[in-house]
Amino acid sequence: MAVDYIVIVVYLAGMLAMGWWGMRRAKSKSEFLVAGRRLGPAMYSGTMAAIVLGGASTIGGVGLGYQYGLSGAWMVVTIGLGLLALSVFFSARIARLKVYTVSEMLDLRYGGKAGVISGVVMWAYTLMLAVTSTIAYATIFDVLFDVNRTLAIILGGSIVVAYSTLGGMWSITLTDMVQFVVKTIGVLLLLLPIAVVKAGGFSEMKAQLPTSYFDPLGVGGETIFTYVLIYTFGMLIGQDIWQRVFTARSDRTAKWGGTIAGTYCLAYAVAGAVIGTAAKVLYPKLGSPDDAFATIVKDELPIGVRGLVLAAALAAVMSTSSGALIACATVANNDIWSRLRGVVRRTGDAHDEAHGEAHDEVKGNRTFILVMGVAVICAAIALNDVVEALTVAYNLLVGGLLVPILGGLLWKRGTAQGALAAVAVGGLAVIGLMAGYGILANEPVYYGLLASLAVYVAVSLATRPTDEATLAAWRERLAGRAPESMSEPVPAHH
């Protein structure tokens, strides 16, 4: 294992070095939170694919393949479809808004009344997302170094918190790009063909396994529908995803770069399911489907390659973890803390930056990443079930925020009161229904979403339309013609 250890240690050291390099670039709020909105197509599509394909997509995707066969790909397929829908239909508009958070977009659209509540819901979602990614370190480090769960979480979590705190979005972008390459080589180019060959090829896999393993809909129609509802729609509105859209150099970059990333997700989905199916042939009696990834890597891969593939799994977890962490800290600072302090900053207003206070802005955001990072590590140690935590996160996000966000983008008649009611009713309905039906039930997100939609439409129609000045300003921002005072100054190069 010595060669494998060296590969992993070099990889982890590289991540920290990127953090240090990013720290020298992140001199303003815009550089720190959205990489100066300067990413070109290659960087943008690589980092976007890296953030959406995390530990759940890699270890969980292989686990679903182990359990259901090829139809186990559906979870990751719906993530890819969500990213494609976001890129083709919404990303250009989102990129032109020049905001930092989803709540700022809601404030712009509805006239500054929806921010804090939507901020709290989004913060809970990003926090849970960061926690689930951090729990996933335990599985990987356990296989690698045979260390106990708590130590594994502290070790993996600390590295991510360190590079995210140092360089913000620049560090995360650079590390994500490396992680994207490592993941592509490790999972698609090495593990996939080796697993299929070791299992005796497709003909042998078909001979050994039940036919349901090769049925594209074997996982069940209702499950696929729930995946679409949670993951496809979740991709459209998550702060962690939007914050990546904000890094695009232009709306064209956001659209085409995201389309490439979404297509890559579809290939990754199929790869994970095929690897899981091969693992079922090789190890028919594993204790848990989620052990399939680690077991096949540990037992079937040659030395050195094994280190690279485990680094790929670490890469998958780290990219999602760092993206969720910066999103969580950005929401906590911009949408909750700054409002509670009574400082209502107009969206995108970079007045402070222009007056030489950029350093304090960066320092404030850096502190928030550090504090949230510690909170995430503590929560990850306390919680056990990754799937439950992830389900809570997505149910809250989709139940509470999908309707007001898409309503704001698509329906002119939606009002601030309608949006607030939709967030409150949808969010509370989901929490109440999860308590009643159980966390993993499908009903909470179905009924929560319906309640949110009904309330949004009814309250919007019963209240006065959003005033014309707010809508006119909104249209200007959507068209990328923000008034000069609203748009960000171009950051000075240091």
Side-chain angles (χ1 to χ4, degrees):
M1 286 290 280
V3 178
D4 297 326
Y5 287 159
I6 291 165
V7 172
I8 303 277
V9 170
V10 166
Y11 168 74
L12 292 174
M15 294 297 101
L16 290 172
M18 299 262 178
W20 188 254
W21 190 86
M23 183 171 82
R24 296 171 49 205
R25 294 202 65 158
K27 303 287 189 191
S28 68
K29 179 180 176 180
S30 166
E31 296 277 348
F32 191 81
L33 293 181
V34 290
R37 307 190 198 273
R38 287 207 300 236
L39 299 194
M43 284 282 261
Y44 178 84
S45 48
T47 57
M48 185 58 105
I51 188 181
V52 298
L53 296 172
S57 308
T58 306
I59 296 160
V62 171
L64 285 167
Y66 183 86
Q67 206 172 348
Y68 299 107
L70 299 186
S71 68
W74 274 105
M75 182 183 85
V76 185
V77 164
T78 55
I79 289 174
L81 293 176
L83 189 48
L84 284 169
L86 174 77
S87 304
V88 173
F89 300 116
F90 299 108
S91 64
R93 277 185 274 183
I94 294 169
R96 287 196 293 262
L97 286 172
K98 296 275 190 281
V99 292
Y100 292 107
T101 67
V102 174
S103 295
E104 287 181 5
M105 167 259 158
L106 289 171
D107 273 0
L108 264 178
R109 166 63 184 78
Y110 294 114
K113 299 181 187 74
V116 177
I117 295 184
S118 62
V120 171
V121 174
M122 189 60 84
W123 175 78
Y125 156 73
T126 51
L127 183 76
M128 277 304 199
L129 195 59
V131 168
T132 55
S133 313
T134 308
I135 291 173
Y137 295 124
T139 359
I140 301 166
F141 278 105
D142 181 35
V143 174
L144 276 177
F145 306 120
D146 204 18
V147 293
N148 80 2
R149 185 177 178 280
T150 305
L151 187 63
I153 287 171
I154 292 169
L155 188 65
S158 301
I159 290 169
V160 169
V161 172
Y163 74 67
S164 304
T165 305
L166 283 171
M169 190 57 94
W170 268 123
S171 297
I172 291 171
T173 299
L174 294 167
T175 51
D176 276 2
M177 205 58 211
V178 174
Q179 286 157 355
F180 171 70
V181 173
V182 170
K183 225 172 347 192
T184 304
I185 295 170
V187 176
L188 293 181
L189 304 184
L190 293 173
L191 184 58
L192 175 63
I194 291 171
V196 172
V197 169
K198 293 274 187 181
F202 279 105
S203 53
E204 185 61 23
M205 284 158 69
K206 278 195 163 158
Q208 296 266 358
L209 294 169
T211 49
S212 65
Y213 266 70
F214 300 91
D215 174 2
L217 303 176
V219 71
E222 194 187 348
T223 304
I224 295 169
F225 180 67
T226 306
Y227 284 157
V228 168
L229 216 51
I230 293 180
Y231 297 116
T232 305
F233 287 129
M235 283 292 119
L236 295 180
I237 57 173
Q239 169 69 24
D240 50 325
I241 310 299
W242 278 41
Q243 202 154 340
R244 288 309 158 102
V245 176
F246 300 150
T247 64
R249 184 192 297 159
S250 66
D251 49 17
R252 240 181 105 77
T253 300
K255 186 172 180 177
W256 292 110
T259 305
I260 293 164
T263 310
Y264 176 87
C265 289
L266 301 180
Y268 199 86
V270 175
V274 171
I275 293 164
T277 308
K280 183 71 177 175
V281 174
L282 294 163
Y283 314 99
K285 293 186 169 58
L286 285 180
S288 151
D290 281 350
D291 295 339
F293 180 85
T295 310
I296 197 166
V297 169
K298 198 157 97 174
D299 294 354
E300 302 297 335
L301 297 185
I303 292 167
V305 172
R306 188 167 45 195
L308 188 69
V309 174
L310 284 168
L314 265 180
V317 177
M318 284 183 157
S319 51
T320 308
S321 185
S322 56
L325 179 61
I326 194 169
C328 178
T330 305
V331 170
N333 189 8
N334 284 350
D335 295 337
I336 301 171
W337 174 243
S338 67
R339 292 166 203 255
L340 293 179
R341 277 199 346 231
V343 183
V344 180
R345 295 188 179 121
R346 281 281 159 242
T347 310
D349 183 0
H351 181 75
D352 291 349
E353 277 185 42
H355 286 70
E357 289 177 30
H359 181 68
D360 292 342
E361 291 255 310
V362 173
K363 201 166 136 192
N365 282 300
R366 202 168 261 152
T367 307
F368 265 89
I369 291 183
L370 189 58
V371 172
M372 289 300 139
V374 173
V376 163
I377 291 170
C378 294
I381 292 167
L383 279 172
N384 243 327
D385 195 313
V386 179
V387 179
E388 287 200 353
L390 200 62
T391 307
V392 171
Y394 274 102
N395 280 355
L396 261 179
L397 176 73
V398 173
L401 290 179
L402 180 71
V403 170
I405 292 171
L406 291 190
L409 285 167
L410 301 171
W411 191 42
K412 209 172 88 177
R413 186 62 182 80
T415 66
Q417 293 86 339
L420 276 172
V423 175
V425 170
L428 291 171
V430 163
I431 292 166
L433 289 161
M434 281 194 292
Y437 282 101
I439 286 177
L440 295 178
N442 293 330
E443 288 84 358
V445 75
Y446 295 168
Y447 299 143
L449 202 50
L450 284 173
S452 180
L453 180 63
V455 168
Y456 179 71
V457 173
V459 174
S460 290
L461 292 174
T463 48
R464 289 178 52 176
T466 309
D467 69 275
E468 198 39 57
T470 303
L471 284 176
W474 165 251
R475 283 193 295 270
E476 286 290 297
R477 286 298 279 260
L478 268 185
R481 296 191 300 268
E484 204 49 49
S485 63
M486 301 274 281
S487 59
E488 297 172 321
V490 177
H493 291 284
H494 294 265

